[in-house]
Amino acid sequence: MLAYARQIIDDDDRRAVDAVLKGDWLTTGPMVKAFEDAVASYTHAGHGVAVNTGTAALHAATWAANISAGDEVIVPAISFVASANCVLYMGGKPVFADLSPDTLNIDPSDIERKITSRTKAIISVDFTGHPADHDAIGAIAEKHGLVTIADAAHSLGGVYKGRKVGTLADMTALSFHPVKQVTTGEGGMILTRDAAIAKRIRSFRHHGIDLDLHQRSKTQSWQYDVNMLGYNYRIPDINCALGLSQLGKLDRWLDRRHQIAARYDEAFAKLPHLQLPTVRQNVVPAWHLYIIRLHTETLRVGRDKVFEALRAENIGVNVHYVPIPWMSHYASLGYERGQWPVAEDSHLRMISLPMFPGMSDSDIQDVIEAVTRVVTYYSA
Ligand SMILES: *Cc1c(COP(=O)(O)O)cnc(C)c1O
């Protein structure tokens, strides 16, 4: 089965990890800072604080935004569930906004409609790697005094109006899960241009302690104070060595993702049954996912049958994602279906095709042939 996403690990990566294993620091050590600095420099973000998952990065961001009980945070109706869970961690209330029909990113006009006196922040997601409309979101945030958090788990390397992902919101959260642009096994990072926020988050990831182990060993002091509640969200040096090695290959991998998207676009333009991804002007997407939407009215079957048929052809398609308010836990909190027409309709028609830089040309051809065969077969 051809997976929908997969990491690339080469000998350089293995050597980088092995060097850490032979050294003194397995966890917070020099590779953490080196990786943070490299990502901050790549994105022009200012400051990077690495943590042990993308979810921890989002938690750190909602914490740094001072979200508390009763605060509302606007979140897109379709994303990975961590984009909304991070609001619940702080006792806040996610308020789901619908999506723009072209990009499936959060719709700024629906954000405006959902703002109340309790709204504190907006979490955007650069869905599939295509940056959200950050200028529109930033303007709304400024008008209403809201914090902007960009969930950029899909979009490291993306560009919006000449500005890189990592600089488009007050705080940006990255994930380094193996399906993402670069991997550390598990890992995440918060990017911000605000040095004070970066400092607070460094403490948050380490129990609320004011100095990390590395700094203490350098100053030979036993003293530390805990002046707030933090967590252990530290990422090991082992992981950061892998991340640093991976980052050097990101631009080459992004080029390959663009080639794959271009081949899909060209091959599928002939199929009237498919709605293809849109790329807006002035945007360079990072192509984490390539999502087609089926014009099911032109087919004899629905999405699930097409999905099954593609799996039967050994194409590891997926669905990203079920709307978050449809999840049982969210239903138990009182969210009811039927309030996000674009997201809910798109969910029922979407299929993610394999998209990762390690795909061979013949893998791409296999996907194109299988999709063409299946939708033509089911054509009404
Ligand atoms: C992967 C992902 C996350 C969470 O990342 P983890 O590193 O798996 O915790 C958050 N948001 C989105 C949109 C993601 O795709």
Side-chain angles (χ1 to χ4, degrees):
M1 179 84 74
L2 178 66
Y4 86 88
R6 192 188 149 74
Q7 72 278 10
I8 297 177
I9 302 290
D10 65 15
D11 285 343
D12 286 343
D13 296 330
R14 277 183 280 272
R15 270 192 293 274
V17 170
D18 197 43
V20 173
L21 294 174
K22 286 173 179 148
D24 294 331
W25 299 96
L26 291 189
T27 188
T28 317
M31 295 316 293
V32 176
K33 174 135 186 8
F35 184 45
E36 289 174 343
D37 289 350
V39 176
S41 153
Y42 178 87
T43 56
H44 310 140
H47 306 273
V49 184
V51 289
N52 55 8
T53 62
T55 303
L58 285 167
H59 186 189
T62 52
W63 172 83
N66 298 314
I67 303 307
S68 61
D71 289 341
E72 295 178 359
V73 178
I74 299 178
V75 182
I78 286 185
S79 182
F80 183 57
V81 70
S83 306
N85 282 352
C86 63
V87 179
L88 298 182
Y89 296 158
M90 299 306 300
K93 182 183 172 195
V95 173
F96 294 102
D98 206 359
L99 313 177
S100 301
D102 59 341
T103 58
L104 300 180
N105 272 321
I106 192 166
D107 178 356
S109 60
D110 206 39
I111 295 177
E112 287 240 62
R113 279 192 285 276
K114 299 221 157 124
I115 287 176
T116 72
S117 59
R118 296 175 134 185
T119 309
K120 267 277 195 69
I122 302 165
I123 298 179
S124 58
V125 176
D126 296 333
F127 189 63
T128 74
H130 186 299
D133 193 353
H134 289 282
D135 278 353
I137 295 165
I140 295 167
E142 200 167 309
K143 182 166 145 203
H144 297 275
L146 311 176
V147 177
T148 54
I149 297 170
D151 179 343
H154 293 183
S155 60
L156 177 61
V159 182
Y160 173 84
K161 300 186 181 175
R163 283 130 59 201
K164 280 200 164 182
V165 165
T167 62
L168 305 170
D170 296 327
M171 286 175 270
T172 300
L174 302 175
S175 164
F176 306 118
H177 181 277
V179 299
K180 305 295 165 62
Q181 308 290 346
V182 300
T183 190
T184 60
E186 295 275 7
M189 196 176 291
I190 302 93
L191 298 169
T192 177
R193 72 184 80 77
D194 185 328
I197 288 179
K199 186 160 180 240
R200 287 177 67 218
I201 292 176
R202 279 180 212 288
S203 175
F204 175 80
R205 78 170 166 195
H206 186 42
H207 309 280
I209 291 173
D210 58 355
L211 287 172
D212 73 21
L213 281 168
H214 187 56
Q215 286 166 308
R216 268 197 290 138
S217 86
K218 282 201 291 204
T219 60
Q220 301 295 328
S221 168
W222 52 266
Q223 287 201 44
Y224 68 90
D225 185 27
V226 172
N227 53 17
M228 56 176 225
L229 181 65
Y231 294 78
N232 179 354
Y233 281 164
R234 295 187 310 261
I235 181 168
D237 249 34
I238 303 166
N239 303 49
C240 290
L242 177 57
L244 189 58
S245 172
Q246 293 254 307
L247 191 66
K249 291 165 273 203
L250 174 57
D251 283 339
R252 187 152 41 85
W253 291 342
L254 287 168
D255 285 347
R256 181 62 177 162
R257 289 178 183 273
H258 279 262
Q259 280 173 8
I260 298 166
R263 296 239 355 235
Y264 283 164
D265 282 347
E266 194 195 338
F268 298 143
K270 306 168 206 131
L271 296 176
H273 323 81
L274 306 184
Q275 181 179 354
L276 304 183
T278 309
V279 177
R280 286 197 184 174
Q281 281 208 327
N282 291 319
V283 160
V284 183
W287 285 116
H288 167 54
L289 298 173
Y290 188 97
I291 295 181
I292 54 171
R293 278 175 279 174
L294 303 172
H295 290 302
T296 40
E297 59 287 355
T298 70
L299 298 169
R300 289 180 285 118
V301 295
R303 186 268 315 275
D304 292 355
K305 270 271 179 285
V306 174
F307 183 97
E308 275 169 35
L310 288 169
R311 282 278 176 107
E313 302 256 353
N314 287 320
I315 307 298
V317 287
N318 217 310
V319 172
H320 297 94
Y321 302 84
V322 176
I324 299 173
W326 284 17
M327 299 288 177
S328 304
H329 181 61
Y330 283 82
S332 79
L333 297 175
Y335 295 92
E336 284 176 10
R337 294 183 184 211
Q339 303 176 61
W340 306 277
V342 176
E344 293 174 308
D345 171 65
S346 297
H347 163 66
L348 297 173
R349 299 194 287 117
M350 59 173 42
I351 293 179
S352 302
L353 301 183
M355 166 57 86
F356 55 96
M359 282 177 82
S360 67
D361 288 347
S362 81
D363 290 336
I364 301 170
Q365 199 53 37
D366 286 347
V367 175
I368 290 171
E369 283 169 17
V371 168
T372 306
R373 193 157 52 235
V374 166
V375 300
T376 308
Y377 175 79
Y378 284 126
S379 188

